[in-house]
Structures are given as C-alpha cells and as structure tokens.
Amino acid sequence: MSDEGMLSPYRALDLTDEKGLLCGKILGDLGADVIMIEHPLGNPARRLGPFYHDIPDSNNSLYWFAYDTNKRGITLDIEKADGRELFKRLVERTDFVIESFKPGYMESLGLGYEELEKINPGIIMTSITPFGPGGPYRDYKESDLVLMSLGGLTYISGEPDRPPLRITYPQAYLLSGAYAAVGSMMAFYYRGMTGEGQHVDVSMQECCEWASYFTPEWWDMAQTNLIRAGMWRVFGPAKMRMVYPCKNGYVSCWILAGPVASRGQKRLVEWMDREGMCPDWLRELDFKAWDIFSLGEATQEFLDGMAQAFTDFFLTKTKEELFEFARESELFLAPMSTAKDLFENPQLKARDFWVEVQHPELGATITYPGAFLKSTVASPSIRRRAPLIGEHNEEIYIGELGLSKETLTLLRGAGVI
Amino acid sequence: MSKMPLAGVRIIDLGTAAIGPTTTRLLVMMGAEVIKVESLTRPDTVRFGSHADDIIEGRFWETGGRHIWSDGGKLSITLDLENPKGKDVFKKLVKVSDIIAENYSARVLKNLGLDYEVLKEINPQIIMLSMRAFGSSGPRMHDIGYGWSLWAETGLAHLTGYEDGPPKATIIPFHDYSGAIWAAFSAVVALDYRRRTGKGQWVDVSMYECGVAQNAAAMMDYIMNQRVPTRRGNRNPAIAPQGVYPCLGEDKWVAISVTSDDEWHALCDVMGNPQWTKEERFANGLSRYQNHDELDRLIGEWTITVDHYEAMHLLQKAGVPAGAALNCKELLLDPHFNERGKFHRVTFPKVEGMEHLGTRIIPAPHFKLSKSPPQVRRTKLLGEDNDYVFHELLGIPVEEVEQLIAEGVAGTEPALAKTPIASGKFNPPARKLLGHILEYDENYKEILGLDE
C-alpha cells in the first residue's frame, strides 16, 4: 500500500467557508493537492469556536483544524483585478474549483463557470449554496437550523408534544460538503472519458433533505404524513420507551416482537432475576409467543410497567456493562456514546482510526479522527495540519507561479495577497 | 457520446436494507448499469414498508416506498448464492463487471466463498465496495449496525435533545443515508484510480467511522479541551435567539436564527416592535442568550398568529434567517424544491397485482451536473432482467437458464408470494386517531398531480 493517496495527481482550489470546507478536506485526505484560498483577512470559518485551549485566535479554531487537514493555504483578494488574474493563472493548472459564495458572486467577478471553462476546458467547478442558483429561496439567508428545517429533518425529530429539534452539532454544512465531494468526483469521472469539465451545483437545503430520506415517500406512496416520535417506539395504541438512563449515561434499547428478538429479551430478564430485580409478571412473560400483534395489543400501562422495570435495572449498570451483555446475548441495545466514549472506543483503536498530527506552531501533537474508510490501495491519511493564514504564499506564488519576492511584497502592500 | 458520467460502468448490487441500495441509487442515476441481485427466498428487506396506497397484497414486494425510491433504474435478477450453480453464474457476472457493492456483515460473503480474495482471482480489476457498520476488521467487524444503534453509538444521539432532557432517538437511519454519500464517493474514486492504473481494489467503508469523522470538530473539543459536547435543544450561544417556534395551525413551526444585532432589529420590526423588545435584557446577543426561555415565549406569541411559510417569507424579506420546518407532505409540495426539479414523476407498467402504482414521485440526486442530468427511472420487476443478464450478457444457453429457474436458483416469483405477509397494513386512519401520525390525505395523488 502506498502513501500516495488515490487522488494525488489532482489539484483543487478551495474557496469555501464553513459551508463547504469538508468537500476539499475529503479530496485532500485521499491525496489531492488542495489549496485553500482565503481573503487576506482570513477565512470567516476561522472565527468559529471552540478554540484550542479556548484561546480565540484565528489560527486556533478547532472547526478550522478539523475540516482543513491536508490543505495548503494562500491568501488572495479575488475582488481586486490583480487578484483575479492570479486566480486565473492558478485555474490553468487545477482540476477542481470549489466555492460557497452567494449564487452569482463568482459570475459577477468574471470568474463564473463559463469564464473558467475558457481558461481550462477540463475544470470541474463545484458551487455550494444554501438553496441553489435559482428558485424562490435563492437569496434566502441560512443557518444550520434553517437548512435542516427546510430539509425536513427538524420536523421529524423530537417529542410530538414539544418543538421539533435539530441535532445540536450542525450537520447541514457537513452533509453538503460530503455531497459536493461525490458530485465533484462524478463530474471528474465524466471528464476522464470526454476531456470536458462541468459545473456542479449543490444546494444545502437539498442535502439536508437527503438525510431525511425515506420520510417524504410515506406521503407520496401511502398518503401518510409522519410526525416525530421522540424517544418512543409506537405499537398499536401504546408507545414503548427507546431511551433509558443508566448508571453513567443513557442507552438505546429496542424491545421487539418475534423469535429473534425474544432471545435477547429473555436473557435480559434472566439477568435481572439473578440480581433480584425482576418482577414476577415479567419473569413469566413468554417473549417467544409475542408477535407483532400482541405487541400491538399491549396497553400503555403494561408497556410503561416493563419500561420502569428495565429502567430500575439499567440504573444499576454502566453503558459498557449493558452493551457487553447485549452483544453476547443478542439484546437490541446500544450505548449512547459521548465524545469521550468515542475517543476511548476499542473498535476505533483497533482500526487505527486516530491519527497524530504535528502542530509545531503550538508546540503540540494533536489527535485527529483519521481514515473514514480502508482501501487495499491507499486509505485516507492526514499528511499535514490545517494551514495558518497565508502559510504557503511563498511556496505557491514564488515557487510555482514564478513571481518574484518584490512582486509578492507589492501585492501584499496593495492588499491583493 | 453519452452524457452520463458512469456510462459503461457495470455494478453488481448485493446491497440490502439501507446503505447498500442508497449508495447504488446515486450511482445508477448517474448512468451506471446497476444489476440488483436478490434471492427468491429472501428478497431485499428494502421492499417492505410504506406500501403504495397501504395495499399489502398482490405483488406487494414491488410496491414498497423505500424500494421504489432506492432501486429505480436498476436491473433486477434473482440468484440463489447458496446454490453452487447460483455461485457459478455469479462468478461469470463478476468477470464482466466493474464494481460489486455489498453491505452484508463481514462473514457472509466469506462463508459463501465469494469474498474479495476469491473474486479478485476471477477478475483482478474488480472493485469491491463493502459498506458495513463497523468495517471489516476489529472486534466489532461481525456486528450488525442498525440505524438507531449507530445513531446512539456515533454520538449523535447524545448531541440531540432538549436542554433539560435525555438524548433523543430518531426514526431515521441517519448514518445509512449519510454513509451512502461517502460510499458513493469512494466508489467513483476507485473507478478513477482504476482508469488511471488498471488496478482494482477492496474499499471497506464503515458507517461508524464516517459518522465520527464527519463530526470531527466535536471530537476535537473533547480531545483538546476535555469538554464533552452536549445537547442544547435548538440553541447556540453565538446565535440568540435561535429556535423553532409554533405557528398558526396544527403542529406548524418556523425556525429562526438571529445571528447579529441587525437581524435582531429586523425581527423586532417584523413582529411590529412590541414593547417587550425594548427591554434592556434583550439589547445584546449575550443577554438575549441568558434570557432565552423568556425570549422564546415572547417570540412565540407572535409566531402563533402567523402561518409558518408566511413567517419565513416575512422574516427572510427583512433579512432574518428563517425557515419553515417542513413535514413530509410539505417537502414534496415545497415550491422551491419543485422549481429546482427535484421530484421526478415516474410511471409504472400496469402489471397485475400492482396496477395501483400508476405514477409516483422519485427524487433526483442532490448535486446537479450541468452537462449530465440524472436518469430517474422506474424499478424493474423482480427478476425482470434475468433473460438479459443470463442469456444475452453472460451467454448462458436458454436450456440452462430454464434449468436454473426450474431448480429455484433464479426466477420471478418470490417464495413469499404464496404466504400472506404478517405485519398487516399501516392503516393511516387508525394511526391518525391514535395520534401516531400528523395527518393523512386520501386525495394525495390529486394534490401531487399523479393522476392520469
């Protein structure tokens, strides 16, 4: 297996902010040479917390660290004529341009797809926008919550008698970044056959809808408009708890009907009995005879009683103990992991998931999440940390474009770089 | 010359349930020839659930909603991979294919004698794309992951919930659908690598790892600052107010995010500048966050008087980020999605036992390639392409194909055609009475314009 990633012959120019950083990172993790082009005052994403040791410096944003691995960084003001010229020179020798400006912004600078295609007919330009380049919401403002809501994910999460809920850790930008990476590669593969580039349009609202995937089909197919179910699973007239507190956190546990599920549930009840925490009626319940109909006929009182018995028992056990038991006895139970649990997780360690990355500017080595897949050819890797502002100006402007040091100084003075 | 990026790419799709069919869905819509392989005794579970018109009889295995959304455009063949003859046919197919996509647990293909080690002897250029919960190595490699269990284990559950409450479960298998994006990406990278070097490979995607990698910055906060990120409902200390507010009507909500003082003033204007907005405690972002509960209540007094779409439009016009929280029906009727051409209408043949399918909606992929519009097509019937694949593609003589069918190795009538399905109907009217669903519309086809 080589160290060279599968995308190592390719180059991308990344002009995105937090809305699209993940796309370039994915390409970079697979070996592409990704150049992050920032405004001389720095990418707005650098202001996003949390920060390294809570020191709010524009080189310390953990969001920036996380989603700009493997990118080199240069500064450039593309609103200035000199800046645009330099950008076009870079486009000549690049495969991908990724941007997340407002729809029409790049065109207004004479840097839209039609222009770039003239410079480099094979260019793949990927534009990530909140709602796409057209349509009634085109100019609407976004936030993660707004996008997730207009994508249908928010409505379907939470308790039915409380407001819809989003995932606290923002997903809209991440889904969009990943989606943009697929679209870009599709266009790239097309180029491999035809020599022609394409413009890839990614709407963030749509990417959010992808994650709520099968819920709209219920209405299209079966006239049914679903509602959020919170931490309950619904059977017939009654609801069964899915989320249970335990000694050191929470677990998710599905009580199901059918012969497969009954094995695990029987063993759970036996364990509870051994510890003297099993009510008689529960011990005598014949899970094997339970089918989807008896579950459907269960009363709320009955299901609540069962949930309470489990809760009382789970509260005496840790997530880890319960999960180990579940794995051995085929009980449908999973721990609700926190970041700490993930970091200590044996499966991730066995897969060499965590990577140490040098941060000489901090005098530190930081652990990052690493390869998201394994390949017999070349797995993703982190070769360098996220760039400091303008870190590779000399390397690229002087080293690759052949500008002189004096020119660079002039451009710096004029605010172009 | 075809305009489709993946024209000429042949993919054997062994995918089942969620991530498998979803990944190949992205690939088939971009022009690949995807051959979905199922067994007659155990067809893919993606076929069951959200059946058209809630009818679970006749050819009900062809009318499941998730199947129609996931498998449109794919060729359909049946093969019993446990049967030696079935294995032989499969190997012949591998020889002329580019990718094998599968999401079984790690031991299944190995036990069948059809894992990568074996198949690359038959076709050294083959790309095997395995999509598992936990990957193909490590102590959990044989564990099956479910939507709800990965939701819990990747940490997203812990990060979802009201501030005062426990983590929330979800009905959506989030990691299957987000994992499918990463898996489809990996497939195209592998294709490109092969085009350049002639080499095949085995790509092993773990939904668990994709999920954790996607939330890298949350992990880093723990790694660097020993802070365990936790749930905050809909809130964010940098954005106040932010929330989902009740609107006019039954269970209608609008999401609002005020990210600056300017936006705060704009929100106040839209609400008609009620007296309370002038209070000192709402004057700046930090103190708005500190008084969030009261602020939410007061904003709710305005939103409850407005339709949620109306609220969104008014606020957006004034420059405030706002979005209606769309439910399933509203997603399909949303004017913006429709103008973007997201929802294609696909018509099904009038086959006995599934006549009621008619025309349905299937969404396009969420990237738009300027030169390559997606191909959004109907599902094929189970085994509909047996003749094409076995006879035309693989050159198996007609008598041999007939023998395979006679022995039950291939065919078009699944075993469950002879048994009634156990789960019964979903029964929307009953569910509505019980409060399990928001609503149902008997005339939904008319609303969607699906009637002939």
Side-chain angles (χ1 to χ4, degrees), chain A residues 10 53 67 131 137 140-141 143 155 159 163 166 198 206 217 221 236 327 347 351 374-375, chain B residues 50 53 140 143 162 168 192 201 204 209 214 225 234 251 257 263 313 316 334 336 340 371 436:
Chain A
Y10 313 131
H53 291 176
Y67 299 117
F131 300 101
Y137 305 163
Y140 276 12
K141 286 171 99 166
S143 70
Y155 181 83
E159 298 290 334
R166 70 162 189 155
Q198 291 203 50
E206 288 166 16
E217 121 218 334
M221 296 300 296
R327 282 190 77 214
Q347 172 70 7
R351 297 265 290 173
K374 302 255 181 284
S375 151
Chain B
S50 58
D53 301 354
R140 307 277 312 269
D143 289 8
Y162 306 103
K168 291 298 161 193
D192 176 72
Q201 64 181 284
D204 175 23
E209 288 164 15
Q214 190 164 295
N225 300 328
N234 290 319
D251 203 43
S257 298
E263 286 173 7
H313 295 317
Q316 284 284 4
D334 179 64
H336 186 81
R340 290 270 291 165
K371 296 178 185 168
H436 297 169

Side-chain angles (χ1 to χ4, degrees), chain B residues 85-106:
Chain B
K85 283 190 181 170
K87 281 198 241 268
D88 276 340
V89 175
F90 183 75
K91 287 178 183 173
K92 284 194 166 85
L93 189 54
V94 167
K95 213 167 181 174
V96 297
S97 299
D98 301 295
I99 302 181
I100 302 169
E102 59 98 9
N103 62 314
Y104 294 125
S105 63

Side-chain angles (χ1 to χ4, degrees), chain B residues 240-252:
Chain B
Q242 171 165 271
V244 181
Y245 300 93
C247 294
L248 203 58
E250 191 189 348
D251 203 43
K252 303 285 184 219

Side-chain angles (χ1 to χ4, degrees), chain B residues 165-228:
Chain B
K168 291 298 161 193
T170 181
I171 61 173
I172 297 167
F174 186 86
H175 292 93
D176 284 281
Y177 301 131
S178 64
I181 306 172
W182 298 71
F185 170 77
S186 311
V188 187
V189 170
L191 278 171
D192 176 72
Y193 182 80
R194 190 181 71 172
R195 187 177 50 82
R196 218 172 64 229
T197 65
K199 295 190 184 145
Q201 64 181 284
W202 181 26
V203 180
D204 175 23
V205 178
S206 155
M207 287 187 263
Y208 183 53
E209 288 164 15
C210 292
V212 178
Q214 190 164 295
N215 293 314
M219 285 307 310
M220 312 255 323
D221 198 21
Y222 173 72
I223 296 169
M224 297 284 61
N225 300 328
Q226 277 73 55
R227 201 161 30 219
V228 175

Side-chain angles (χ1 to χ4, degrees), chain A residues 173-184:
Chain A
Y173 300 166
L174 304 173
L175 290 166
S176 306
Y179 226 101
V182 196
S184 305

Side-chain angles (χ1 to χ4, degrees), chain A residues 40-55:
Chain A
L41 296 175
N43 192 309
R46 290 178 178 275
R47 290 199 289 270
L48 293 175
F51 295 93
Y52 175 74
H53 291 176
D54 289 329
I55 303 168

Side-chain angles (χ1 to χ4, degrees), chain A residues 332-345:
Chain A
F332 285 81
L333 182 148
M336 291 195 154
S337 306
T338 63
K340 178 173 188 296
D341 296 329
L342 289 169
F343 194 58
E344 293 167 4
N345 184 277

